[in-house]
Amino acid sequence: MPKVLISDKLSPASVEIFRRRGIEVEFRPGLSPAELRAIIAPYDGLAVRSATKVTRELLDAAPNLKVVGRAGIGVDNVDVTSATARGVVVMNTPYGNAITTAEHAIAMMFALARQIPEASTSTKAGKWEKNRFMGVELFGKTLGLIGCGNIGSIVADRAVGLKMKVVAFDPFLSEKRAVELGVEKVELNELLERADIVTLHTPLTEQTRNILSRQNIAKLKKGVRIINCARGGLVDEQALYDALKSGHVAGAALDVFETEPATESPLFALENVVCTPHLGAATAEAQENVALQVADQMADYLLTGAVSNAINMPSVTAEEAPRLKPYMELARLLGAMGGQLTAAQDDAIRSIRVEYEGHVAELNRRPLTAAALAGVLTPLMGAVNMVNAPVVAKERGIEVAETVHERRGDYATLLRVTVVTEGRTRSVAGTLVGDAKPRLVEIKGIPVEADFAPDMLYVTNQDKPGFIGRFGMALANAGINIATFHLGRAAQGGDAICLVSLDGPIPEPVLAEVRGLPLVVQASPLRF
């Protein structure tokens, strides 16, 4: 039974989801980093919000950990790089608090336009400064969206309802989607020149850090208002302060800051700045939604292998998971065979190519390719799985390619894995029997039909009389039983291959004897 630890305050309903689905769960929020490291070892899953910091040190103490679920959008508190290197899936819940965050941005826009926080403070102080707080209408104003994804598109919808003109900068926004949303897609410089109000809804990356830099703030029209409910670091806070003091920027509403908790900032002293303590997702509905979503996602992964909203792994829906499972196992086995044959020759891998033909070409191929990569790399590098295999390949300069063939061949589905090294190219291909059982059908272009077995022996030899007798006798003399025996050859008298499944691992002395037999070119044990 999988075990999950919830180390932050999540809805009690999330605990019930885990238990109802047969997962052992412990709810222990408020642990110190040292206390968490001391107990994390046996857990398969860790559910967090923003308080728990999933560091490299914590991951080092969690040998069984398979998945980290972040109830919320941002994963700033998770060392995704270290998690990926250890093969741990990192999931978030990007849709559970989208409406709440979008509504907060709209609320901040109203508060800024009508100076509501300052007016409230003044009125509560016994003043009646009606003429002091002169606001602006939103009707007819141009709203500039930097980022028009899930949350940004909801903000766009609300702004269009307010009869605002909306322009959006987002490299991933298609023209068709822009038309559907009723927004105009523009480049960043045009947005900066046209917008009366700018609101940010993009993740913090190296490309988006300080996207509102001092230079870009200077390009904004005088009197602009800026809203950031996305991530601290998107706006140069010192440059914003200077622009607010000079009057170039009329006001700013910030829910996020470069350093959080933000207990002090020059911006706090300015009357034309509205600040909230990262409340974008702080509604009862959103907290419930993200807790339920992360529990379901983690349970799906631990129980069925379904992957939803993963940061570091291709998604596999709950519906896809059972259908993809035998194909993923086929990809892993083919990769494992190619990897073991490569490891036996101690060759450096230059590239790995995965080819799809027939029914398999119509499936979600990314997890299949990841499974094949994990199969190839594990015999050479140890602890590699579907999560970290693509990263490991990239770090080692291994080129990875997918090829889809539209042709229909002899098999309803065919998957081929080719490993290219400095000295040679090895390929293995397989299919599924009855859509469930992996079967090998080709090695190095030579037809060989064989089922995979836990222990096998692969032999390449010259196609001449006498080999089979000598080979069988060597195994018989050592008391080794042959379970299945499969032969193939490229041409009469040319290269031939022999693949046998055994009842157990072949001892090293017997393997050495086989390698010394006449006509034998290579003999490699295989374990699956």
Side-chain angles (χ1 to χ4, degrees):
M1 176 187 296
K3 296 182 65 174
V4 168
L5 174 66
I6 300 175
S7 61
D8 286 338
K9 293 181 180 179
L10 295 186
S11 165
S14 63
V15 177
E16 290 306 312
I17 286 177
F18 283 122
R19 288 176 177 162
R20 187 170 66 246
R21 299 192 62 179
I23 292 175
E24 184 179 340
V25 59
E26 288 194 42
F27 182 72
R28 299 190 60 181
L31 295 171
S32 70
E35 290 171 332
L36 185 55
R37 287 196 300 272
I39 68 167
I40 191 64
Y43 292 97
D44 302 284
L46 176 65
V48 304
R49 278 194 53 77
S50 57
T52 297
K53 308 303 178 187
V54 184
T55 62
R56 183 182 63 185
E57 291 75 20
L58 178 61
L59 292 163
D60 285 342
N64 292 319
L65 196 64
K66 299 174 182 65
V67 59
V68 173
R70 162 69 163 99
I73 297 177
V75 289
D76 311 65
N77 57 316
V78 180
D79 187 340
V80 177
T81 301
S82 294
T84 303
R86 287 158 178 76
V88 177
V89 176
V90 179
M91 299 175 169
N92 66 352
T93 54
Y95 307 112
N97 54 15
I99 290 175
T100 289
T101 304
E103 287 182 353
H104 193 65
I106 295 293
M108 295 285 266
M109 183 165 60
F110 274 111
L112 194 59
R114 301 305 295 269
Q115 303 176 68
I116 292 173
E118 296 87 351
S120 175
T121 301
S122 170
T123 305
K124 288 181 176 180
K127 303 175 184 179
W128 194 258
E129 300 178 296
K130 187 173 182 178
N131 294 327
R132 175 186 168 192
F133 300 108
M134 185 61 63
V136 296
E137 288 185 351
L138 298 180
F139 175 83
K141 296 296 190 295
T142 298
L143 177 65
L145 287 171
I146 298 179
C148 195
N150 187 37
I151 295 172
S153 63
I154 298 173
V155 172
D157 176 72
R158 305 309 191 256
V160 169
L162 294 170
K163 306 303 181 185
M164 300 180 76
K165 300 173 184 176
V166 183
V167 296
F169 166 70
D170 188 327
F172 303 102
L173 178 66
S174 68
E175 292 290 350
K176 180 181 178 182
R177 178 62 173 158
V179 171
E180 291 174 352
L181 292 172
V183 308
E184 180 184 352
K185 182 179 179 181
V186 298
E187 293 300 320
L188 180 60
N189 282 337
E190 184 177 349
L191 181 148
L192 298 175
E193 293 168 1
R194 291 175 55 184
D196 299 302
I197 301 170
V198 174
T199 179
L200 297 108
H201 301 286
T202 183
L204 180 64
T205 66
E206 288 306 311
Q207 290 71 37
T208 63
R209 183 176 295 279
N210 283 338
I211 193 167
L212 284 189
S213 61
R214 184 175 297 275
Q215 181 181 10
N216 282 341
I217 289 175
K219 294 177 183 178
L220 292 163
K221 64 164 62 175
K222 184 175 174 60
V224 71
R225 289 168 170 81
I226 297 172
I227 300 162
N228 186 11
C229 294
R231 280 287 174 264
L234 297 175
V235 181
D236 183 332
E237 291 181 6
Q238 183 58 52
L240 176 61
Y241 174 85
D242 294 340
L244 287 161
K245 288 286 287 183
S246 71
H248 182 70
V249 174
L254 306 174
D255 186 49
V256 290
F257 300 86
E258 290 182 29
T259 301
E260 294 185 5
T263 55
E264 56 182 10
S265 168
L267 293 165
F268 294 168
L270 302 181
E271 285 191 355
N272 53 349
V273 175
V274 178
C275 296
T276 52
H278 207 144
L279 297 179
T283 65
E285 294 86 350
Q287 296 306 301
E288 187 79 1
N289 288 342
V290 297
L292 300 183
Q293 188 177 344
V294 80
D296 271 326
Q297 288 178 187
M298 293 177 67
D300 283 343
Y301 179 68
L302 291 172
L303 297 175
T304 71
V307 182
S308 301
N309 301 317
I311 303 298
N312 57 349
M313 182 178 174
S315 290
V316 178
T317 68
E319 292 73 24
E320 287 179 316
R323 185 182 180 195
L324 286 177
K325 187 175 182 180
Y327 291 93
M328 289 164 56
E329 178 65 3
L330 173 63
R332 183 193 70 81
L333 290 169
L334 293 173
M337 184 168 185
Q340 290 180 78
L341 295 179
T342 300
Q345 299 298 310
D346 199 24
D347 289 343
I349 298 176
R350 296 177 58 185
S351 66
I352 299 170
R353 184 170 65 252
V354 186
E355 299 175 65
Y356 300 95
E357 182 178 318
H359 294 330
V360 68
E362 301 168 2
L363 302 177
N364 179 0
R365 297 185 300 276
R366 290 187 64 196
L368 306 185
T369 298
L373 290 179
V376 172
L377 298 175
T378 296
L380 295 99
M381 301 173 189
V384 180
N385 63 15
M386 287 177 59
V387 179
N388 58 12
V391 175
V392 171
K394 184 176 181 180
E395 289 175 346
R396 284 157 178 77
I398 299 171
E399 181 182 342
V400 178
E402 284 185 11
T403 302
V404 176
H405 298 292
E406 295 183 358
R407 64 175 182 256
R408 296 289 180 177
D410 296 334
Y411 299 95
T413 195
L414 185 75
L415 197 155
R416 179 179 290 105
V417 177
T418 302
V419 181
V420 180
T421 66
E422 296 291 341
R424 67 187 70 193
T425 298
R426 300 176 180 87
S427 69
V428 290
T431 189
L432 291 179
V433 179
D435 289 334
K437 186 176 182 180
R439 176 172 290 177
L440 185 69
V441 298
E442 179 188 294
I443 303 174
K444 297 192 300 184
I446 300 174
V448 177
E449 293 227 6
D451 293 333
F452 290 93
D455 290 284
M456 305 187 81
L457 179 61
Y458 169 79
V459 180
T460 59
N461 60 281
Q462 299 174 42
D463 181 34
K464 294 182 179 179
F467 161 71
I468 294 177
R470 295 189 189 98
F471 174 63
M473 187 60 67
L475 296 182
N477 290 339
I480 296 175
N481 185 53
I482 296 175
T484 63
F485 197 103
H486 311 277
L487 298 171
R489 65 182 183 181
Q492 183 177 348
D495 293 332
I497 55 178
C498 172
L499 184 65
V500 300
S501 57
L502 308 172
D503 290 341
I506 184 170
E508 279 297 326
V510 181
L511 180 61
E513 183 181 349
V514 171
R515 286 170 173 165
L517 292 175
L519 306 178
V520 170
V521 177
Q522 174 191 353
S524 300
L526 303 174
R527 300 213 72 184
F528 299 100

